[in-house]
């Protein structure tokens, strides 16, 4: 029997000059998921799930044009997949006018949690605020109640920093100072030193973090009396000196030694069989094996990246859509309707798909896939420490259940001596 098509739209940042170009890793993963979904006879039987995608270049202007093209070029799209935060906020604001749901597979901005602005937005990529309950959990574990914050002045870090301050206040943890910088961190780092900051949370992109840590070296903000919390998703050698960094490799190695990192966990760690019919680690091998076959899709011959950790989020996004549409078809059937009736006007169809997305729950390759009541991804975080120049896994944290899995591997300059969060006032006899 002839299969009926369900069309979804997709924007993937494949190349371009700014922002995150994770489309190179996420498009192949989404295609793998489409193949798996369409080969699964228990799901969407009688239907073929198809995607029409275009390159967003992580550019909001281009993405608006791409979105309109997807909307006004038949057949009607049932929903849209989006990547970069800046693209998702642009298209999700517009998409709601067309009763279109947007699923973000690569969007970390806390601003996207605003259900008033983005009532039809869901994401399999956790918000950057996912770091904060983990940070507070560790502050409590090491009995630090005096914290400093330094931020690169980018929207995602400003909003995440505000959320961290709220979480710290709720936990009776004092923010002794919060400083930010646009491009040159010199003054901000000097201010940390003046305030005798000891436990420092830094939010910045990798390049700015490199400059910031070199300044930290020059101000002596490292060693046995200081602990830095950095972001865990930088490229591997982010701290190696480059042009414009006036610190040597040894100085950079000294200043980053023993720092902590937090990041959202994007690959299931356990031996469980995931929705892909294999463990997440086996899926990753399969994914990397399949990457080369997608190379003809890259507009200017870029080669499919192996390094995008977000690929599982795109794979799972397609499965989340498939489960939600599968249940929606059954409910629409009872109403004598079908997905084919969707014409950007029928809000009742969108509401059904939205309520089914809200209920999605499965073990994806990125871990348990479920959305909270504002469409945000619930996920674990990974905690690492730089020990002798390489990152070691210290543990994992599940915010939802306040469950910290800890391996007791953390190391301090004076073994066994956790650094203090302030100068010890030793009472004079
Ligand atoms: C972890 C990271 C690198 C955060 O930025 C995301 C891109 C974005 O939020 O625009 C992709 N994933």
């Amino acid at each position: 029997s002839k299969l009926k098509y369900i069309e979804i739209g997709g924007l993937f940042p494949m190349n371009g000059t700014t922002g995150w170009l994770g489309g190179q890793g996420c498009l192949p993963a989404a295609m793998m998921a489409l193949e798996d979904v369409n080969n699964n006879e228990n799901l969407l039987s009688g239907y073929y799930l198809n995607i029409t995608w275009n390159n967003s270049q992580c550019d909001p202007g281009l993405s608006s044009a791409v979105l309109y093209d997807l909307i006004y070029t038949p057949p009607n799209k049932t929903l849209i997949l989006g990547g970069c935060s800046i693209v998702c906020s642009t298209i999700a604001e517009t998409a709601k006018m067309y009763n279109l749901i947007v699923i973000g597979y690569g969007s970390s901005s806390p601003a996207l949690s605003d259900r008033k602005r983005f009532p039809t937005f869901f994401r399999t990529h956790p918000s950057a605020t996912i770091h904060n309950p983990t940070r507070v959990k560790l502050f409590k574990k090491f009995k630090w109640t005096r914290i400093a914050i330094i931020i690169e002045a980018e929207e995602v870090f400003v909003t995440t920093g505000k959320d961290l301050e709220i979480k710290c206040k709720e936990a009776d943890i004092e923010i002794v100072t919060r400083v930010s910088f646009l491009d040159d961190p010199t003054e901000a780092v000097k201010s940390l030193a003046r305030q005798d900051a000891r436990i420092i949370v830094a939010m910045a992109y990798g390049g700015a973090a490199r400059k910031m840590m070199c300044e930290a070296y020059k101000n002596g903000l490292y060693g046995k009396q200081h602990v830095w919390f950095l972001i865990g998703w930088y490229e591997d050698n982010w701290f190696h000196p480059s042009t414009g960094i006036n610190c040597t490799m040894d100085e950079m190695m000294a200043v980053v030694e023993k720092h902590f990192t937090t990041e959202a966990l994007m690959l299931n760690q356990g031996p469980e069989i995931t929705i892909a019919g294999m463990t997440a680690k086996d899926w990753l091998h399969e994914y990397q094996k399949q990457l080369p076959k997608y190379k003809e899709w890259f507009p200017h011959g870029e080669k499919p990246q192996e390094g995008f950790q977000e690929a599982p989020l795109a794979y799972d996004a397609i499965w989340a859509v498939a489960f939600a549409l599968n249940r929606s078809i059954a409910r629409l059937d009872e109403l004598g309707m079908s997905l084919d009736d969707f014409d950007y006007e029928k809000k009742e169809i969108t509401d059904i798909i939205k309520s089914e997305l809200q209920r999605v729950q499965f073990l994806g390759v990125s871990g348990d896939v479920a959305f909270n009541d504002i469409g945000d991804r619930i996920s674990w975080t990974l905690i690492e420490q730089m020990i002798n120049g390489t990152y070691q896994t210290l543990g994992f944290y599940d915010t939802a259940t306040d469950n910290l899995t800890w391996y007791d591997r953390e190391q301090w300059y004076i073994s066994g001596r956790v650094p203090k969060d302030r100068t010890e006032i030793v009472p004079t006899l």
Side-chain angles (χ1 to χ4, degrees):
S1 68
K2 191 170 167 335
L3 290 176
K4 285 172 46 170
Y5 269 51
I6 301 172
E7 278 290 339
I8 58 178
L11 285 92
F12 292 85
M14 305 308 283
N15 61 2
T17 51
T18 58
W20 174 72
L21 301 181
Q24 295 176 14
C26 292
L27 177 65
M31 290 305 174
M32 285 172 68
L34 274 175
E35 206 173 318
D36 294 346
V37 163
N38 287 320
N39 289 338
N40 180 312
E41 66 275 1
N42 307 325
L43 208 56
L44 296 175
S45 54
Y47 286 89
Y48 183 82
L49 188 59
N50 195 42
I51 190 166
T52 304
W53 66 277
N54 211 324
N55 183 357
S56 73
Q57 295 196 345
C58 200
D59 176 299
L62 174 61
S63 302
S64 302
V66 166
L67 177 70
Y68 281 106
D69 182 55
L70 287 169
I71 290 172
Y72 289 105
T73 307
N76 289 345
K77 309 301 175 293
T78 306
L79 52 86
I80 307 285
L81 249 60
C84 297
S85 290
I86 186 81
V87 166
C88 285
S89 18
T90 306
I91 64 173
E93 193 114 59
T94 307
K96 72 183 180 213
M97 325 293 265
Y98 292 88
N99 293 305
L100 272 171
I101 286 166
V102 176
I103 313 254
Y105 58 81
S107 44
S108 65
S109 166
L112 285 161
S113 302
D114 179 343
R115 256 286 174 267
K116 281 187 293 306
R117 275 184 71 197
F118 311 112
T120 63
F121 182 69
F122 291 79
R123 52 176 153 181
T124 52
H125 189 303
S127 163
T129 53
I130 197 94
H131 293 250
N132 292 335
T134 312
R135 288 163 174 155
V136 169
K137 186 73 179 176
L138 294 178
F139 299 158
K140 286 183 184 168
K141 176 180 173 63
F142 295 116
K143 300 187 177 32
W144 295 321
T145 59
R146 185 176 175 272
I147 305 295
I149 301 176
I150 178 169
I151 289 175
E152 180 186 6
E154 287 278 347
E155 178 264 332
V156 62
F157 303 128
V158 171
T159 40
T160 306
K162 284 201 180 82
D163 177 78
L164 177 59
E165 291 202 38
I166 293 167
K167 298 262 185 337
C168 283
K169 278 200 182 65
E170 286 164 1
D172 290 330
I173 293 170
E174 180 205 357
I175 305 294
V176 68
T177 185
R178 113 196 35 76
V179 292
S180 65
F181 62 94
L182 259 173
D183 190 41
D184 177 357
T186 308
E187 282 319 307
V189 173
K190 279 196 167 59
S191 167
L192 291 178
R194 274 197 305 276
Q195 314 256 354
D196 189 26
R198 299 294 182 86
I199 316 298
I200 307 163
V201 178
M203 292 175 231
Y205 285 115
R210 187 165 44 245
K211 284 192 246 176
M212 179 185 71
M213 293 315 280
C214 178
E215 280 310 311
Y217 178 82
K218 297 192 178 314
N219 287 268
L221 282 176
Y222 69 99
K224 57 182 181 304
Q225 290 191 328
H226 295 87
V227 180
W228 284 84
F229 279 77
L230 302 182
I231 288 175
W233 44 253
Y234 297 153
E235 60 276 2
D236 289 351
N237 55 7
W238 68 271
F239 55 93
H240 290 192
S242 59
T243 45
I245 299 288
N246 52 357
C247 283
T248 65
M249 186 64 191
D250 288 351
E251 291 167 343
M252 290 306 286
M253 294 294 285
V255 75
V256 299
E257 180 57 24
K258 303 273 189 300
H259 79 268
F260 282 61
T261 63
T262 53
E263 62 192 289
L265 192 63
M266 297 184 181
L267 186 74
N268 191 53
Q269 296 296 299
E272 304 90 348
I273 299 299
T274 67
I275 194 66
M278 59 186 86
T279 66
K281 285 192 172 44
D282 288 347
W283 177 86
L284 194 62
H285 292 139
E286 189 52 37
Y287 160 75
Q288 280 164 350
K289 248 179 13 203
Q290 297 216 19
L291 270 179
K293 90 178 188 193
Y294 294 100
K295 64 178 181 305
E296 74 275 7
W297 275 335
F298 294 85
H300 308 296
E302 296 87 353
K303 83 174 179 51
Q305 292 284 331
E306 294 193 11
F308 285 95
Q309 57 164 340
E310 296 85 353
L313 305 177
Y315 182 84
D316 289 343
I318 293 288
W319 275 100
V321 164
F323 283 123
L325 293 180
N326 195 48
R327 283 209 175 118
S328 303
I329 289 165
R331 285 177 58 183
L332 288 167
D333 217 20
E334 286 159 22
L335 302 170
M337 296 177 77
S338 97
L339 287 177
D340 298 347
D341 302 326
F342 184 64
D343 57 4
Y344 309 124
E345 304 288 325
K346 292 194 177 53
K347 188 177 176 305
E348 65 274 26
I349 294 182
T350 308
D351 289 345
I352 286 176
I353 300 171
K354 192 176 156 186
S355 68
E356 289 306 335
L357 262 174
Q358 203 64 72
R359 291 169 51 193
V360 153
Q361 160 91 48
F362 63 94
L363 179 61
V365 289
S366 68
D368 272 331
V369 177
F371 305 105
N372 68 15
D373 53 3
I374 54 172
D376 269 346
R377 173 69 187 271
I378 302 160
S379 95
W380 288 59
T381 51
L382 164 65
I383 303 143
E384 293 183 327
Q385 185 181 25
M386 172 71 77
I387 298 176
N388 302 326
T390 54
Y391 283 112
Q392 307 292 326
T393 301
L394 294 188
F396 301 91
Y397 183 56
D398 177 12
T399 321
T401 59
D402 187 24
N403 164 22
L404 178 66
T405 307
W406 198 253
Y407 300 133
D408 292 323
R409 283 182 198 148
E410 68 274 22
Q411 287 196 5
W412 310 110
Y413 280 91
I414 305 166
S415 73
R417 282 280 306 278
V418 176
K420 296 279 178 266
D421 58 2
R422 67 199 75 205
T423 310
E424 291 270 81
I425 312 292
V426 181
T428 48
L429 295 176

